[in-house]
């Protein structure tokens, strides 16, 4: 008996028809991943069913892609803990950033049963919080989604970046090094297929960050990036206005309230994040080609184009 969250009939249909999920074969697929993990001397990975099935679903049940992403996921957390590893959600700086309400997961997916929607606002004081704080907080939210939100792994994720309150300090902190590491993490390590990246309320100087993303992102991601100023109708074809939060004239929850409710989520997963200290990689024990994050290059030692679906 596997220990995974049950799916709604509609979501199960998507998993079967679009991801190639065969419910009767799930125990066998999970065991194959567990067996592989047990044979990797360098890898200390979670093996709970809910964690592993999210990678299988996010990789459309390609066992080899799931293996690669799991390895990448723990490797980059080990190599870049300040950016991607959280073990204490009660840390005062973590909670202080949380209380600003910069990043939120909206309650209703796109079109009701589509991709999960996340909103990122640059409303935190850049003088108080280095960009590493914002990146780490966002990575921690994604950790929660991996273990609790089948919607995101089955139907993907849409990102809305709101630059209305972004300052030059916010934007200039987004360097080529940061962009490369974000691509390593979000595209090569997480089991979420990126459906859209929408940047709104763009001032001319904020284009700096998006230009970097366009330089380094895989081609399929570039095709899913949409930019607009104050007029959200420019992207309504992709994300109708009603799926935005109320602060943006939508009907999809209030960001000022969502972050308060998310305190309950952090509290419920306190032990889970403490356990993160037990997982990671040891490159000295890896058999074969070593992972290389030095020199700010992509996973595997070179920045290479990858397929994104």
């Amino acid at each position: 008996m596997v220990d995974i969250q049950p799916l709604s009939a509609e979501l199960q249909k998507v998993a079967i028809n679009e991801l190639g999920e065969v419910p009767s074969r799930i125990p066998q697929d999970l065991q194959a991943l567990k067996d592989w993990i047990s044979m990797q001397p360098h890898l200390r990975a979670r093996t709970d069913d809910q964690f592993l099935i999210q990678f299988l679903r996010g990789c459309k049940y390609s066992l080899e892609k799931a293996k690669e992403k799991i390895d990448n996921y723990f490797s980059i957390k080990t190599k870049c803990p300040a950016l991607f590893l959280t073990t204490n959600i009660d840390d005062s700086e973590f909670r202080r950033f949380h209380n600003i309400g910069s990043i939120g997961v909206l309650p209703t997916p796109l079109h009701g049963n589509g991709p999960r929607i996340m909103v990122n606002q640059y409303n935190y004081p850049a003088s108080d919080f280095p960009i590493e704080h914002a990146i780490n907080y966002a990575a921690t939210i994604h950790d929660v989604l991996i273990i609790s939100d089948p919607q995101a792994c089955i139907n993907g994720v849409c990102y809305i970046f709101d630059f209305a309150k972004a300052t030059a300090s916010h934007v200039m902190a987004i360097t080529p090094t940061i962009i490369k590491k974000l691509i390593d993490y979000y595209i090569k390590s997480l089991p979420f297929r990126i459906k859209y990246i929408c940047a709104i309320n763009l001032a001319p100087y904020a284009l700096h960050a998006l230009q970097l993303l366009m330089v380094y992102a895989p081609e399929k991601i570039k095709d899913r990036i949409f930019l607009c100023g104050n007029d959200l109708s420019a992207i309504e074809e992709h994300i109708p206005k009603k799926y935005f939060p109320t602060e943006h004239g939508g009907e999809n929850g209030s960001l000022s309230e969502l972050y308060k409710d998310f305190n309950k989520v952090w509290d419920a997963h306190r032990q889970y994040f403490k356990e993160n200290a037990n997982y990671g990689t040891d490159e000295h024990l890896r058999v074969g080609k070593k992972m290389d994050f030095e020199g700010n290059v992509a996973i595997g030692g070179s920045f290479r184009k990858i397929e994104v679906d």
Side-chain angles (χ1 to χ4, degrees):
M1 179 70 69
V2 298
D3 184 16
I4 60 175
Q5 293 181 28
L7 301 179
S8 67
E10 191 173 5
L11 205 53
Q12 182 68 77
K13 183 178 180 180
V14 175
I16 292 172
N17 294 339
E18 298 184 17
L19 307 184
E21 180 164 297
V22 180
S24 64
R25 203 179 64 201
I26 287 176
Q28 176 184 339
D29 291 333
L30 290 173
Q31 190 59 49
L33 271 185
K34 293 176 184 180
D35 291 343
W36 172 79
I37 290 170
S38 70
M39 293 187 290
Q40 308 309 306
H42 71 285
L43 179 61
R44 304 185 310 280
R46 291 184 179 275
T47 57
D48 43 302
D49 293 342
Q50 186 63 41
F51 179 85
L52 294 180
I53 199 169
Q54 297 283 68
F55 281 87
L56 286 170
R57 287 169 172 163
C59 296
K60 290 189 172 183
Y61 276 84
S62 166
L63 188 60
E64 293 310 309
K65 287 183 180 178
K67 290 176 183 177
E68 182 180 7
K69 283 209 169 189
I70 290 170
D71 198 350
N72 291 348
Y73 175 83
F74 288 104
S75 294
I76 196 169
K77 283 181 178 290
T78 299
K79 196 66 178 180
C80 306
L83 292 175
F84 304 118
L85 178 64
T86 298
T87 58
N88 179 16
I89 51 85
D90 293 316
D91 177 80
S92 59
E93 288 300 287
F94 181 90
R95 290 287 182 151
R96 192 160 73 94
F97 186 89
H98 165 81
N99 287 331
I100 294 172
S102 293
I103 302 171
V105 181
L106 302 187
T108 303
L110 186 63
H111 305 306
N113 192 46
R116 181 64 67 196
I117 304 171
M118 292 187 63
V119 177
N120 296 259
Q121 303 179 102
Y122 293 90
N123 62 343
Y124 59 90
S127 57
D128 288 355
F129 295 101
I131 193 170
E132 288 81 2
H133 283 254
I135 293 173
N136 178 270
Y137 182 84
T140 311
I141 286 183
H142 284 77
D143 283 347
V144 169
L145 295 183
I146 289 176
I147 57 172
S148 65
D149 190 4
Q151 188 81 33
C153 285
I154 291 174
N155 281 328
V157 179
C158 297
Y159 296 99
I160 298 171
F161 292 91
D162 183 359
F163 285 85
K165 297 181 180 179
T167 66
S169 295
H170 287 111
V171 175
M172 296 309 295
I174 306 173
T175 64
T177 295
I178 290 294
I179 288 291
K180 289 178 181 180
K181 288 182 178 178
L182 290 175
I183 288 173
D184 281 339
Y185 189 67
Y186 279 85
I187 298 176
K188 299 183 178 183
S189 304
L190 293 181
F192 307 115
R193 290 171 293 144
I194 298 174
K195 296 300 185 178
Y196 298 118
I197 297 175
C198 297
I200 64 175
N201 296 314
L202 276 173
Y205 65 83
L207 288 173
H208 161 81
L210 280 304
Q211 288 169 343
L212 287 177
L213 182 58
M214 293 299 285
V215 168
Y216 294 112
E219 290 301 321
K220 284 190 176 181
I221 290 296
K222 293 177 184 178
D223 292 339
R224 299 172 190 181
I225 298 174
F226 303 94
L227 314 180
C228 75
N230 298 325
D231 183 8
L232 297 185
S233 65
I235 58 173
E236 277 204 273
E237 175 185 353
H238 309 289
I239 304 180
K241 191 172 183 178
K242 75 175 185 176
Y243 293 104
F244 278 75
T246 57
E247 287 87 346
H248 296 82
E251 305 170 12
N252 202 359
S254 167
L255 293 173
S256 62
E257 295 300 321
L258 287 172
Y259 87 87
K260 295 177 184 177
D261 290 341
F262 218 81
N263 278 306
K264 300 173 185 176
V265 177
W266 295 135
D267 292 342
H269 292 90
R270 180 175 285 106
Q271 184 59 35
Y272 181 88
F273 285 103
K274 286 182 179 180
E275 293 169 0
N276 276 348
N278 300 325
Y279 303 107
T281 59
D282 184 342
E283 292 303 315
H284 294 95
L285 299 178
R286 183 185 292 274
V287 176
K289 188 176 181 179
K290 307 298 183 185
M291 287 290 183
D292 182 11
F293 290 99
E294 298 298 340
N296 304 314
V297 296
I299 290 175
S302 63
F303 191 82
R304 55 192 174 91
K305 184 190 295 184
I306 64 170
E307 290 299 310
V308 180
D309 190 36

